[in-house]
Amino acid sequence: MITHEFSCYLPAGKPVFFTIDRAVGCRASTLLRVIPAELQIWGREEIRLPDLHFYKTSIPIKPRNTLPSRCLEWLQQNSDTAENVIFPDDSLNDIFPSGPPRDSVNVLIADPEELVEALDDLDPLHTYSRTMKKVVDRHLQRLFIKSSPSEIIKTHDKLAQVFGGEHPLIHIGRTGGIPAVIFNPVLANLKKDLDNLDQIEVGPENIRRASRYLHNAVQFYKDEEARQQNLEELLNQAIGQDVNWKSTLDWADDITPSAIWKFGDFAAIVLELKNSLGISGDAIHQAIIDYAKMVSSNKYKHLWGRCNFPVVLVGITANRIEISVAVCVGAIYVTKLFAVDLALDFHASDNILALARLFRALSRCRLDLREYYRSVGQSDALVTRPILSALFPRPTPLDVSRPLPDLTFQYFVQDGQPVPDIPDFGHALTAMFIATLNEREVIVKFTPRYNKAAHDLLAQAQLAPRLHACELVVGDLFMVVMDRVDALPISQLMNSMKLLPEIVSKKVEEAINLLHQQAIVFGDLREPNILYAPSEDRVYFVDFDWAGKDGEARYPATLNDWDLTWSPGVEPYAIMHKAHDLWQVDHLKALCNL
């Protein structure tokens, strides 16, 4: 029997390299069980066989000085790939059909505890990723809902349990939070289509099909089964034939949605159909619960955090059609995109045309989601550590001629600092993240309102972080990208200082004078929005969300005037004036004892 030399390497802790001769026709167990003895020879007596994982590789041995880091990087990228794992019952001939590659590491050895520490040293994000993966798992385990979707939507208490409370499992608009469309370009493009239906081209067959659907939808039927029989084939033709009607999903708590358009095991479109308004519950709510049952099932557990499961939710109730989209990023966020009550009235021609365009948009979105899920299926085998990129936004520019900066999101942020948790965007008015841009750390903020001119003005005066981008994205938000500075809000400094440094008051006055010269009111001159960098003795302004023209711009209607102290005249939706800023300047002077 032909024997080969197998190169074995343990890269973590104290690295060990050795070779073992074995016949390729043997079981892998004959190779694996002698590895601990070899490790002991090299001073690794503490390692036991049950603690080890083994992987097939072809990593070049040379250059030897970079071998440990290259092997650790390989484990970082490939250790979750099933085809790379060597099991005792495997045949060495099957693992290495052409024999082990020469001048390469053939068997990579990993002790899980040592590997975690080594990867943490190799990449600080690894620690954060592992922590966040546990957080994601905890969040999604909370999503498990015992009752069936049809039972939940008929009971007020159960609806409140799922959609209500201080921290609901699913955000549907009452505490809707962050728009789902900023997490996935396919959903963003659907929103753009539905916001601009008149730009979608449709042909005669699309219009005939929409006309038949309209005539059938406005009829009264004795039950949901009869309504489905009259609409099913029209919907198949309009959206796509790759659909399952009334198919029970035993892996998702035996739910039976009216229809699912799928790609493999992934749902692209979930549709629920009801016969009459006000009877048997709300169709779109039932579709949302279907989706929650699916993404929280063990079938998808290996993808939690690595995929945000974008989906289109369709609710059809009598002559009404509602379209929402959803993503799962620890919690589920649902955004309503479209709703219409179809009618054969004086505007029937317009209704038919709009319906034809709606179906066309849904069909295109289905195909785009199919491509998205195909890429998820392909990349899943390459994932090694908890990859959390799916939890971060993937915004789409509103104006395609203005591309967004190439960002790599890394951390969730609270008060400008990374937090090892997923923020509750359901109660937030803005969202912030730490990312890198050309290897430079930046803060990325999503907000419905921002004054780029005010920020640029102070940045040029070294009184605000450098602004890299301020662009509108789909979801009706600005994406603001600025340098991350090593500074703390003066609200935090006040916890450890009796008085603030005098430079704070001086720079606040300087900044407000610059803005007022351009007739700009800052508006939100509170302590959290003024940063102080002790190492540089510098002051930075942040949060230009409210800044606007003196005497014209208005404060947001969401302004909190019941437990915060403001200048007289500052009220929700009140007109902004320079005097309001000056009142705040005097307030800050008092904190500096000036």
Side-chain angles (χ1 to χ4, degrees):
M1 187 174 288
I2 300 174
T3 61
H4 286 280
E5 186 178 73
F6 292 85
S7 298
C8 306
Y9 189 60
L10 174 73
K14 178 183 176 183
V16 177
F17 179 88
F18 53 89
T19 61
I20 299 175
D21 291 337
R22 278 293 178 273
V24 293
C26 295
R27 293 290 176 189
S29 57
T30 65
L31 172 66
L32 304 183
R33 67 188 176 209
V34 300
I35 285 177
E38 291 285 342
L39 292 173
Q40 288 180 18
I41 294 173
W42 292 93
R44 301 302 303 271
E45 298 89 352
E46 78 282 7
I47 294 180
R48 298 170 58 251
L49 180 60
D51 298 331
L52 298 176
H53 295 176
F54 304 94
Y55 304 93
K56 176 189 72 173
T57 76
S58 56
I59 302 170
I61 294 172
K62 295 181 179 180
R64 291 294 290 265
N65 64 322
T66 63
L67 182 59
S69 61
R70 287 185 287 115
C71 288
L72 287 173
E73 288 173 1
W74 186 95
L75 286 167
Q76 196 179 56
Q77 297 295 322
N78 299 281
S79 62
D80 278 0
T81 307
E83 65 185 27
N84 291 327
V85 179
I86 300 176
F87 295 99
D89 289 341
D90 291 342
S91 166
L92 291 177
N93 194 49
D94 291 338
I95 300 171
F96 300 99
S98 302
R102 295 173 59 85
D103 301 320
S104 298
V105 174
N106 311 131
V107 179
L108 198 54
I109 310 163
D111 176 281
E113 291 186 7
E114 283 190 344
L115 181 60
V116 165
E117 293 178 5
L119 292 180
D120 286 349
D121 293 338
L122 185 68
D123 181 2
L125 278 175
H126 186 261
T127 305
Y128 186 78
S129 295
R130 286 191 298 108
T131 301
M132 290 303 298
K133 181 62 169 67
K134 294 176 183 177
V135 171
V136 171
D137 290 353
R138 187 173 67 247
H139 276 258
L140 284 167
Q141 285 161 3
R142 285 183 62 237
L143 272 175
F144 179 75
I145 306 166
K146 293 182 180 179
S147 304
S148 71
S150 58
E151 290 173 338
I152 293 171
I153 63 169
K154 296 175 185 176
T155 309
H156 174 270
D157 290 346
K158 290 181 178 178
L159 275 174
Q161 179 184 351
V162 175
F163 298 120
E166 184 67 20
H167 299 287
L169 305 175
I170 304 169
H171 299 275
I172 58 169
R174 297 185 180 185
T175 55
I178 197 165
V181 294
I182 75 165
F183 290 95
N184 186 274
V186 176
L187 302 186
N189 287 332
L190 176 62
K191 176 173 171 54
K192 290 175 74 172
D193 279 346
L194 298 185
D195 288 345
N196 301 277
L197 275 179
D198 57 340
Q199 297 181 19
I200 297 178
E201 295 291 334
V202 290
E205 187 54 38
N206 302 113
I207 294 172
R208 292 189 194 97
R209 189 182 300 122
S211 178
R212 291 196 297 273
Y213 180 94
L214 176 60
H215 281 80
N216 285 3
V218 299
Q219 303 302 317
F220 287 85
Y221 298 94
K222 65 177 182 178
D223 54 30
E224 288 175 8
E225 183 178 355
R227 178 171 291 277
Q228 178 183 322
Q229 288 176 352
N230 281 273
L231 299 181
E232 180 177 321
E233 185 54 35
L234 291 170
L235 288 167
N236 293 351
Q237 295 171 6
I239 300 175
Q241 295 288 352
D242 51 343
V243 57
N244 296 314
W245 285 87
K246 290 295 183 181
S247 176
T248 298
L249 305 181
D250 56 2
W251 51 269
D253 204 24
D254 292 322
I255 61 171
T256 308
S258 297
I260 302 181
W261 282 262
K262 296 199 306 179
F263 175 75
D265 290 330
F266 298 103
I269 301 176
V270 178
L271 180 148
E272 285 288 1
L273 182 145
K274 300 292 179 183
N275 192 34
S276 299
L277 290 168
I279 301 176
S280 300
D282 184 271
I284 202 72
H285 282 177
Q286 186 162 335
I288 293 168
I289 299 166
D290 290 338
Y291 171 70
K293 293 268 190 181
M294 286 187 275
V295 298
S296 62
S297 73
N298 285 331
K299 188 181 187 71
Y300 291 148
K301 189 171 183 179
H302 66 295
L303 287 172
W304 289 354
R306 299 170 180 170
C307 175
N308 54 35
F309 305 103
V311 71
V312 179
L313 305 167
V314 180
I316 294 178
T317 306
N319 61 319
R320 175 175 295 174
I321 297 182
E322 296 177 78
I323 310 295
S324 293
V325 293
V327 292
C328 180
V329 288
I332 290 176
Y333 292 93
V334 182
T335 302
K336 181 180 285 189
L337 299 187
F338 185 87
V340 63
D341 288 328
L342 300 170
L344 277 172
D345 56 12
F346 284 10
H347 301 287
S349 178
D350 292 338
N351 292 339
I352 290 169
L353 190 56
L355 185 60
R357 288 168 169 161
L358 170 65
F359 286 150
R360 186 87 177 100
L362 288 175
S363 180
R364 291 199 310 212
C365 182
R366 174 188 61 86
L367 294 175
D368 290 343
L369 282 174
R370 184 175 68 181
E371 291 306 308
Y372 168 83
Y373 280 119
R374 178 179 284 118
S375 70
V376 169
Q378 291 171 347
S379 63
D380 178 41
L382 301 177
V383 175
T384 172
R385 59 175 179 162
I387 302 297
L388 301 178
S389 60
L391 302 182
F392 294 112
R394 285 189 62 197
T396 300
L398 196 62
D399 182 352
V400 294
S401 69
R402 298 181 63 87
L404 302 178
D406 185 13
L407 299 168
T408 300
F409 288 87
Q410 295 183 323
Y411 301 100
F412 296 98
V413 172
Q414 186 173 332
D415 297 327
Q417 300 300 317
V419 289
D421 202 351
I422 300 173
D424 181 2
F425 295 123
H427 297 277
L429 299 177
T430 63
M432 292 177 63
F433 307 86
I434 293 175
T436 56
L437 173 63
N438 299 325
E439 301 184 356
R440 186 186 191 104
E441 270 199 338
V442 292
I443 294 289
V444 183
K445 180 176 185 176
F446 293 90
T447 177
R449 172 176 169 180
Y450 206 79
N451 193 317
K452 180 178 182 295
H455 190 143
D456 277 334
L457 179 65
L458 293 196
Q460 290 169 11
Q462 306 294 305
L463 291 167
R466 178 185 173 188
L467 185 64
H468 295 276
C470 180
E471 298 292 343
L472 275 169
V473 298
V474 178
D476 304 315
L477 297 175
F478 285 95
M479 185 182 81
V480 182
V481 182
M482 71 190 83
D483 277 349
R484 186 186 180 205
V485 294
D486 185 15
L488 291 174
I490 62 172
S491 54
Q492 291 186 24
L493 293 176
M494 290 164 57
N495 295 330
S496 57
M497 293 181 171
K498 290 184 179 180
L499 295 174
L500 294 174
E502 185 177 337
I503 191 174
V504 172
S505 174
K506 177 183 176 182
K507 291 300 181 181
V508 165
E509 282 195 286
E510 181 182 338
I512 293 304
N513 285 337
L514 285 172
L515 292 173
H516 286 188
Q517 288 171 15
Q518 302 299 319
I520 297 173
V521 179
F522 187 77
D524 195 7
L525 197 59
R526 294 178 298 116
E527 292 85 346
N529 298 330
I530 303 168
L531 310 183
Y532 175 65
S535 62
E536 304 174 85
D537 197 29
R538 286 185 58 181
V539 175
Y540 297 93
F541 276 64
V542 293
D543 201 347
F544 293 81
D545 299 28
W546 295 5
K549 190 171 182 180
D550 177 42
E552 292 185 11
R554 291 180 179 270
Y555 291 102
T558 53
L559 182 144
N560 175 2
D561 64 346
W562 59 86
D563 63 357
L564 293 176
T565 303
W566 297 96
S567 164
V570 176
E571 297 174 334
Y573 203 59
I575 292 177
M576 302 171 68
H577 293 285
K578 294 178 182 178
H580 302 157
D581 281 348
L582 298 177
W583 186 93
Q584 291 282 18
V585 170
D586 289 339
H587 172 71
L588 288 167
K589 281 184 177 181
L591 298 177
C592 301
N593 198 28
L594 295 175

